[in-house]
Amino acid sequence: MWNHLPKVKSILPSIVFQLFPPAEALRFMCEISECIVLCVTGTKWGLGGTCVNVGCIPKKLMHQAALLGTAVKDAKKYGWQIPDTISHDWPTMAEAIQNHVKSLNWGHRVQLQDKKVKYMNLKGSLVDEHTVRGLSKAGKETVLTAKNIVIATGGRPKYPTNIPGAAEHGITSDDIFWLKKSPGKTLVVGASYVALECAGFLKGIGLDTTVMVRSIALRGFDQQMASLVTDYMEAHGTRFAWKSVPNRVDKLSSGALQVTWTDTQTGSEHKDTFDSVLWAVGRAPETKALGLDKLGVQLNKETGKIVVGPDESTSVPNIYAFGDIGEGRPELTPTAIKAGKLLAHRLAGQSTELMNYDNVPTTVFTPLEYSCVGLSEEEAEKRHGKDGIEIYHAFYKPLEFTVAERDASQCYIKVVCEQGGNGKILGLHFTGPNAGEVAQGFAMGFQCGATYSHLIQTVGIHPTCAEEVVKVHITKRSGLDATVTGC
């Protein structure tokens, strides 16, 4: 890392310009030769961006911590002699997870060095379509010129600007994973997958947790599946303040945070105290300080994201953008990684292949995991009409739940197909254990044009939850009981 470079002017094939390189950008750099990376200073973590430091990785590990708590309870039914009272120690978990993240930071730095990628810790802005100006912490300037400039700055969590005390007393997902002490009783404001995942693992490790929802949960996802996710969370102790909006956050003399909110259905005002308030109300792209307006790079005025073409190009030749910064792109690490690799290959003249953003699978790592690929029921009906689709579904009980006597009423499978013919599969939705592992395999089938005929011709692996997907045969249209019976 070069923090104190003199003012130089370098000419390179490509500059990758980002806010502490996310994983997708690091892979981009390692795919293309003679590349310099400029990073914005002042962030709280190392190389790897959101996914590694304050996203997928620590989130999944804290989710695992919560799942282990449930497993300990199940273990009694399986004959393990477990004390009646067990407790969770946040500092132990946090230190272990943070140490793993730091090892990934180091691994990324080594990878850059091995690939001979120059990493420059500078705050950058664009001068023209071929020039980037970077400033070090000491104020020293570095000017870099390149044929191509690639922007992969990603986004950061937003604080509401109209709620007194929100930013002063609140935290976001940028903070929760790096807390040294337990957040204690927590209010999570928002109902995105980030909000529900955080609330899920907080409750799972034994913390009093409330989720405040302005309208609906998991906007953009299949709403039947979203309801199953939140129903499960409510049934297992997470409180939900539905149709509610916060008005203010005040810090009391005791140190507790008093939140005042309004129930929008009744108009009544409520108050409660919390140890932490976590805002999960969306993310804002890191575009304001880049100088894009001076160059004429087109932005979506509402979202602030960069308008990009199928090849990740912007409105200015030789300037490209990929990842969360791109308008209409999925805010998912794997899609950005793949898009970045393909862009690198195109810029290096090795390929002309474009990124396919259709049928991207994803998982919401809530206490009952939810995975999906393809269209939601609502979107399929919108595109094909209610009579143009057929929905096969099933409520099933994971074998692991039986001895543990766990409720499985929200374990559900939905396969959305075209009506007629072989029944091309338009969407697949799954709630249950290891949902991501289940959906990943079926996602490949979407790239091969999977149909319902293919599905029912597939032999299941017994006994697994995934086998229930290839056994679905009851349609919603029929009105028959979709509960799976037998082993």
Side-chain angles (χ1 to χ4, degrees):
M1 184 184 297
W2 297 281
N3 287 320
H4 305 291
L5 289 175
K7 183 172 180 178
V8 297
K9 186 163 184 177
S10 302
I11 301 178
L12 299 162
S14 294
I15 295 174
V16 182
F17 184 41
Q18 58 217 328
L19 177 68
F20 264 126
E24 60 268 20
L26 291 165
R27 286 169 175 81
F28 172 94
M29 293 178 255
C30 293
E31 292 285 331
I32 191 167
S33 62
E34 295 186 61
C35 177
I36 277 191
V37 160
L38 271 75
C39 297
V40 178
T41 59
T43 52
K44 299 178 182 178
W45 52 81
L47 290 168
T50 299
C51 177
V52 168
N53 294 282
V54 291
C56 320
I57 300 301
K59 176 270 301 288
K60 179 72 180 293
L61 292 173
M62 289 193 178
H63 172 62
Q64 176 65 11
L67 293 181
L68 288 172
T70 301
V72 169
K73 297 172 185 175
D74 289 352
K76 292 183 179 181
K77 295 287 186 178
Y78 281 92
W80 288 94
Q81 301 302 302
I82 307 292
D84 290 336
T85 302
I86 60 172
S87 62
H88 179 269
D89 184 64
W90 178 281
T92 300
M93 174 193 70
E95 182 180 8
I97 292 174
Q98 289 161 13
N99 285 341
H100 176 65
V101 168
K102 290 172 184 176
S103 75
L104 296 177
N105 299 150
W106 176 253
H108 283 315
R109 185 175 302 183
V110 171
Q111 189 180 22
L112 291 177
Q113 291 174 347
D114 288 346
K115 300 292 184 179
K116 295 181 173 53
V117 175
K118 294 181 182 179
Y119 166 54
M120 306 175 73
N121 193 332
L122 304 172
K123 184 172 184 179
S125 59
L126 280 74
V127 177
D128 59 41
E129 63 268 30
H130 295 293
T131 308
V132 170
R133 182 174 70 102
L135 288 176
S136 72
K137 289 181 180 179
K140 291 186 177 181
E141 182 180 273
T142 300
V143 177
L144 299 164
T145 302
K147 178 182 178 181
N148 300 306
I149 296 175
V150 178
I151 303 172
T153 49
R156 301 298 288 271
K158 293 190 294 188
Y159 282 96
T161 57
N162 60 337
I163 299 173
E168 182 182 356
H169 304 305
I171 61 174
T172 70
S173 58
D174 272 7
D175 309 303
I176 188 72
F177 302 111
W178 291 89
L179 295 179
K180 301 299 183 183
K181 297 192 302 181
S182 169
K185 180 182 177 182
T186 303
L187 172 66
V188 178
V189 183
S192 64
Y193 71 88
V194 174
L196 297 186
E197 288 175 339
C198 289
F201 68 67
L202 290 174
K203 178 58 187 174
I205 61 174
L207 301 181
D208 187 326
T209 308
T210 300
V211 180
M212 185 172 293
V213 186
R214 175 175 57 87
S215 52
I216 61 174
L218 296 178
R219 184 178 300 278
F221 288 86
D222 186 292
Q223 283 303 292
Q224 180 189 10
M225 307 305 293
S227 294
L228 292 170
V229 167
T230 54
D231 286 351
Y232 184 93
M233 292 178 69
E234 283 192 289
H236 289 78
T238 302
R239 296 186 181 90
F240 280 81
W242 294 102
K243 306 296 182 183
S244 296
V245 292
N247 299 326
R248 63 182 300 112
V249 181
D250 297 295
K251 191 167 187 175
L252 305 180
S253 58
S254 63
L257 302 177
Q258 180 177 272
V259 180
T260 305
W261 73 90
T262 299
D263 182 323
T264 58
Q265 290 182 307
T266 64
S268 58
E269 188 174 272
H270 301 270
K271 292 182 180 180
D272 198 357
T273 56
F274 301 89
D275 298 310
S276 299
V277 177
L278 191 157
W279 300 98
V281 292
R283 298 178 66 82
E286 288 284 346
T287 55
K288 292 182 179 179
L290 301 184
L292 300 178
D293 52 339
K294 294 183 295 184
L295 274 67
V297 175
Q298 185 182 356
L299 303 178
N300 181 305
K301 292 181 180 179
E302 292 185 5
T303 65
K305 292 188 175 186
I306 300 173
V307 177
V308 290
D311 61 350
E312 322 307 336
S313 61
T314 70
S315 58
V316 176
N318 304 104
I319 297 181
Y320 300 84
F322 70 96
D324 293 6
I325 202 76
E327 178 61 34
R329 299 301 192 227
E331 294 187 0
L332 299 169
T333 297
T335 53
I337 287 173
K338 188 165 182 62
K341 283 186 173 183
L342 292 173
L343 174 58
H345 292 165
R346 292 195 301 273
L347 293 180
Q350 298 175 1
S351 171
T352 58
E353 183 182 357
L354 299 176
M355 176 64 187
N356 178 9
Y357 287 99
D358 292 330
N359 296 323
V360 172
T362 191
T363 297
V364 182
F365 288 98
T366 36
L368 185 70
E369 295 177 9
Y370 164 40
S371 270
C372 61
V373 56
L375 303 182
S376 65
E377 181 177 347
E378 294 89 347
E379 184 62 26
E381 186 174 315
K382 181 180 177 181
R383 294 190 190 186
H384 299 273
K386 195 166 187 176
D387 294 331
I389 61 174
E390 192 72 86
I391 296 173
Y392 299 87
H393 67 152
F395 286 94
Y396 70 101
K397 187 162 192 172
L399 182 62
E400 299 86 343
F401 282 27
T402 56
V403 171
E405 299 179 352
R406 288 174 61 184
D407 177 30
S409 56
Q410 286 89 26
C411 292
Y412 180 68
I413 296 162
K414 178 194 291 189
V415 182
V416 183
C417 302
E418 280 185 351
Q419 178 72 273
N422 291 324
K424 181 181 178 182
I425 301 177
L426 303 173
L428 188 149
H429 303 265
F430 178 98
T431 52
N434 305 302
E437 311 296 342
V438 173
Q440 182 66 81
F442 287 105
M444 189 177 75
F446 277 70
Q447 301 303 316
C448 304
T451 66
Y452 179 69
S453 297
H454 291 139
L455 196 69
I456 60 174
Q457 289 166 12
T458 303
V459 177
I461 300 172
H462 187 70
T464 64
C465 295
E467 73 173 312
E468 301 300 339
V469 178
V470 302
K471 290 163 55 179
V472 290
H473 63 282
I474 293 175
T475 66
K476 267 193 172 184
R477 197 187 306 274
S478 71
L480 298 175
D481 184 1
T483 304
V484 174
T485 58
C487 67

